[in-house]
Amino acid sequence: DAVINNYSANNYEKIVRQIQILNEDYRKISGTNGFGGGVDTQIEFCLATKSPDGSITDGITKIYGALPVWDINAESTQNNSDYALKHLRHWPEDRYLNLYVAQLEQLTNDDGSKSDLLGYGTFPSELSSYPDLDGGVISDKYFGDNNYNSAFGKGRTLTHEVGHWLN
């Protein structure tokens, strides 16, 4: 997991809660929002305890600094925000789910109105061409158990994006 800017103890609690929400959703745990429709996928998530080099880690990479203007549709080059973000810290995609929490841009709709970019996940079919772009990116506004927007908060946005990653 990579957190861009403003890391604090509160962020750690949000990260732990977000992983709990993923497990509630993917394991269909009774008494949680994840118990709705669907099935128990028997997939569980946790923070990494060992980094790719074998050293002990809390599974969280804290990165401080600004990213370039976000352009999700740009070519996959060093000038693309997605590429730049994922090259700050990327762990092998065959052993880790790389998740990135960042401040994402607002999108301009066809009618000129603005809407938030909530997040996105890499589909498995994209990995043969771009293995180092693996993972999911989520807006800090929609990460964790929050009330920012009842339709997209409560940690369900990342559940959706991880669903793309799982295909």
Side-chain angles (χ1 to χ4, degrees):
D1 213 12
V3 179
I4 311 301
N5 284 335
N6 303 324
Y7 181 81
S8 68
N10 184 45
N11 288 76
Y12 180 78
E13 292 169 7
K14 284 178 76 170
I15 292 166
V16 169
R17 177 65 183 126
Q18 180 65 72
I19 291 172
Q20 182 181 12
I21 291 166
L22 286 172
N23 287 327
E24 290 170 2
D25 292 346
Y26 282 92
R27 291 305 314 262
K28 193 177 176 178
I29 295 177
S30 180
T32 72
N33 288 334
F35 193 67
V39 299
D40 178 354
T41 65
Q42 299 185 13
I43 296 171
E44 291 185 27
F45 301 89
C46 65
L47 285 170
T49 57
K50 285 190 177 181
S51 67
D53 67 8
S55 62
I56 295 173
T57 180
D58 65 0
I60 303 168
T61 303
K62 299 93 163 158
I63 301 170
Y64 301 94
L67 290 173
V69 174
W70 203 269
D71 184 357
I72 192 173
N73 297 313
E75 290 287 324
S76 184
T77 68
Q78 293 177 357
N79 297 323
N80 176 311
S81 300
D82 187 48
Y83 182 96
L85 171 68
K86 291 179 179 175
H87 280 80
L88 291 171
R89 178 72 62 206
H90 182 83
W91 289 5
E93 65 281 351
D94 62 338
R95 295 176 31 216
Y96 301 94
L97 165 56
N98 290 284
L99 297 175
Y100 304 87
V101 181
Q103 294 175 347
L104 300 182
E105 72 180 355
Q106 281 202 318
L107 304 173
T108 303
N109 301 314
D110 291 339
D111 64 2
S113 64
K114 299 278 186 180
S115 60
D116 288 340
L117 174 58
L118 306 176
Y120 54 94
T122 306
F123 286 95
S125 61
E126 298 170 313
L127 294 181
S128 61
S129 299
Y130 304 104
D132 54 347
L133 296 182
D134 170 65
V137 178
I138 186 163
S139 168
D140 58 339
K141 290 181 185 177
Y142 300 99
F143 182 77
D145 193 357
N146 62 59
N147 291 310
Y148 181 74
N149 181 319
S150 61
F152 303 108
K154 301 292 185 192
R156 297 308 150 333
T157 297
L158 191 58
T159 297
H160 174 90
E161 299 310 337
V162 170
H164 290 309
W165 183 79
L166 290 169
N167 204 24

